[in-house]
Amino acid sequence: MTRPIRDLDVPLPEVELQIAELRAHAVKHLADRGQTPTGAHWDQWHEFLDIDPDLRGRDYTPQPKGAK
């Protein structure tokens, strides 16, 4: 079951930083092999890390409890 970002024990800026670091590491790993990431790469990584593949542009503003 997916938990909303606001319910995580880690502050959102820390989550965003960790995701950015993982992404940079993945890009470097491929670059070292002479490759660039494809959409399939991102999908596989996000599935492996169990994170939403469409984080970009989402609104993580805290919502009142019970709001959807």
Side-chain angles (χ1 to χ4, degrees), residues 23 37-54 56:
R23 184 180 182 103
T38 65
H41 283 122
W42 295 126
D43 288 346
Q44 290 170 354
W45 290 327
H46 284 236
E47 183 178 334
F48 175 76
L49 296 169
D50 195 25
I51 57 177
D52 190 323
D54 188 21
R56 188 176 21 226

Side-chain angles (χ1 to χ4, degrees), residues 5 8-16:
I5 292 282
L8 297 177
D9 296 331
V10 180
L12 180 58
E14 181 65 24
V15 172
E16 291 174 335

